[in-house]
Amino acid sequence: MDTVPLPSPLLTELIALRAHTRHLGWLSEREHCPAQYQRLARSVPQDLLDGWLAQTDGTGRLEDLIQALAHTHRQAPSTHCGSPMAQSQRHMTTGEFT
């Protein structure tokens, strides 16, 4: 029987973080709650930096983790945080979400 090595607890946490955050752009196009978003999101970079500092013996910087990506400007949605999406909006399928 072949066994597949499991990632370490550290890498498992990073995989989980990515799985939980990769749809934030899509969801943010449908809900508009910038104050709450900012308040809740602020801790994520700090947690990443704390881990990176431990990985680099205190020499790492948050900038080391940020890859320059070309972002397009998106118009703020007309919906409010937690409000139902309009019927005319395309709904995400299960395959797109996973």
Side-chain angles (χ1 to χ4, degrees):
M1 169 189 267
D2 290 336
T3 60
V4 177
L6 298 175
S8 70
L10 172 64
L11 297 180
T12 300
E13 285 298 315
L14 286 170
I15 292 167
L17 176 66
R18 175 65 179 132
H20 283 91
T21 60
R22 69 183 189 159
H23 298 293
L24 289 176
W26 186 88
L27 291 166
S28 292
E29 290 176 351
R30 285 143 182 82
E31 298 180 23
H32 188 69
C33 43
Q36 297 95 328
Y37 186 101
Q38 184 182 39
R39 186 176 67 246
L40 292 167
R42 279 185 172 149
S43 65
V44 175
Q46 185 61 55
D47 292 341
L48 288 169
L49 178 58
D50 291 345
W52 186 236
L53 287 170
Q55 290 289 303
T56 61
D57 296 322
T59 63
R61 301 172 309 139
L62 190 58
E63 291 80 13
D64 300 336
L65 303 176
I66 299 172
Q67 180 181 3
L69 298 173
H71 291 285
T72 58
H73 179 71
R74 296 178 175 153
Q75 183 177 1
S78 59
T79 60
H80 295 287
C81 190
S83 66
M85 292 185 287
Q87 291 293 343
S88 63
Q89 287 183 329
R90 182 182 164 281
H91 292 274
M92 195 159 107
T93 65
T94 304
E96 291 172 48
F97 193 71
T98 57

